[in-house]
Amino acid sequence: DIQMTQSPSSLSASIGDRVTITCRTSQSISNYLNWYQHKPGKAPKLLISAAYSLESGDPSRFSGSGSGTDFTLTISSLQPEDFATYYCQQSFSSPWTFGQGTKVEIK
Amino acid sequence: QVQLQESGPGLVKPSETLSLTCTVSGASISSYYWSWLRQPPGKALEWIGYIYYSERTNYNPSLKSRVTISIDTSKNQFSLELSSVTAADTAVYYCARSKTMVRGVQKFDPWGQGTLVTVSS
C-alpha cells in the first residue's frame, strides 16, 4: 500500500493568513492526488483532484501543487469558512489511501 | 444533486456482524462505483471496498476476508457487512461515489455524512 504522510497534523491561523499543508507519499504517484475538506458533522467534500484541479464552485484561494512524492495544498487568505480538517488521498493504485489529516483551527 | 445517507445500528457486539446501508438520492445507483470508507478515532481514513452496479466488487486486502458489499438497484441502496468485529472496528463509516476507478482520475465525490459505529459488549 502507498503510505501517506501529512503535515502538520494541526495548525492555528488567523483570518487572512496564508496556510500551507503538505502531503508526502511513500512512492511516486505522478500527479494522482486528491484533497478533501471535512467540517464536523458534514460530509467530506472533494476540493482538488489530480493535484491541482480545483473543483467547480470552490474559491480560487485554494490551490494545489506538486508531483511525484511531494504535494501541497495552499489557502492564500484564510477565511472563517475554511476552518476544517483537510485530507490528501492518492488515486495511483488500489487500495486508495489517505493522509492522517490536518486540522486548521482559529488562532 | 446527488446525496448519500448512511444508516444502521450504532452499537454492535464483539464477534457479531456490522451491517450498514447507504441510500442514494438524486441519481441512479445503476452506474458508477459505490464505496465504503471508515475512520477510527484518531486514525486515518481507510477505504473498505467498492461495488459496481453490475455487482462487481473490489475490497481492501486488509479487510477482504471479513467484508461483503452488496447492491439493491430497486431501492437505490448499497450495503456493507463486516463480520467478526472487534473494538478495532469502532469508527465513523462513510459511503461515497466514484465515477471511475481509473488511475489518476479516481476520486470520491460525493460522500455521506458518516455514521458512528461502536463495537462494545
Side-chain angles (χ1 to χ4, degrees):
Chain A
D1 299 3
I2 296 174
Q3 306 304 311
M4 312 288 289
T5 304
Q6 243 181 281
S7 61
S9 56
S10 65
L11 65 90
S12 295
S14 301
I15 303 300
D17 283 353
R18 181 181 182 87
V19 169
T20 300
I21 299 168
T22 63
C23 181
R24 179 165 289 173
T25 58
S26 60
Q27 67 181 75
S28 179
I29 61 168
S30 185
N31 68 321
Y32 301 160
L33 187 100
N34 303 320
W35 289 98
Y36 300 87
Q37 178 190 62
H38 189 201
K39 298 180 181 180
K42 300 285 186 70
K45 178 181 174 299
L46 177 68
L47 188 59
I48 288 173
S49 59
Y52 48 79
S53 295
L54 188 66
E55 288 299 295
S56 175
D58 285 322
S60 59
R61 62 180 178 272
F62 291 96
S63 63
S65 64
S67 66
T69 61
D70 294 296
F71 301 86
T72 298
L73 172 68
T74 300
I75 309 173
S76 60
S77 177
L78 195 66
Q79 298 302 301
E81 59 268 31
D82 301 337
F83 292 96
T85 300
Y86 295 85
Y87 298 94
C88 57
Q89 175 242 327
Q90 60 84 14
S91 62
F92 183 83
S93 64
S94 177
W96 322 113
T97 48
F98 292 80
Q100 292 268 14
T102 296
K103 187 174 184 179
V104 177
E105 298 176 303
I106 301 173
K107 186 181 246 181
Chain B
Q1 84 254 29
V2 181
Q3 292 185 310
L4 291 78
Q5 180 67 57
E6 305 88 351
S7 60
L11 182 64
V12 181
K13 289 183 168 54
S15 79
E16 295 190 344
T17 296
L18 178 159
S19 297
L20 295 173
T21 296
C22 182
T23 301
V24 179
S25 59
S28 171
I29 204 170
S30 297
S31 60
Y32 303 139
Y33 298 81
W34 305 93
S35 284
W36 285 99
L37 306 97
R38 70 179 184 177
Q39 186 170 32
K43 296 190 176 182
L45 282 158
E46 179 180 35
W47 170 72
I48 297 171
Y50 73 69
I51 189 164
Y52 191 52
Y53 77 97
S54 63
E55 301 191 33
R56 177 161 57 94
T57 56
N58 184 22
Y59 300 137
N60 190 322
S62 68
L63 295 167
K64 187 174 183 177
S65 64
R66 300 194 291 131
V67 172
T68 302
I69 297 176
S70 58
I71 195 165
D72 187 338
T73 55
S74 68
K75 295 182 179 179
N76 228 39
Q77 294 176 334
F78 64 106
S79 298
L80 168 71
E81 289 193 340
L82 181 65
S83 64
S84 305
V85 297
T86 70
D89 296 307
T90 293
V92 177
Y93 286 76
Y94 298 92
C95 53
R97 183 188 73 173
S98 299
K99 290 187 174 179
T100 178
M101 289 297 178
V102 170
R103 168 181 290 184
V105 192
Q106 185 278 335
K107 51 196 172 185
F108 298 107
D109 178 45
W111 297 57
Q113 286 188 308
T115 187
L116 174 63
V117 178
T118 301
V119 178
S120 175
S121 55

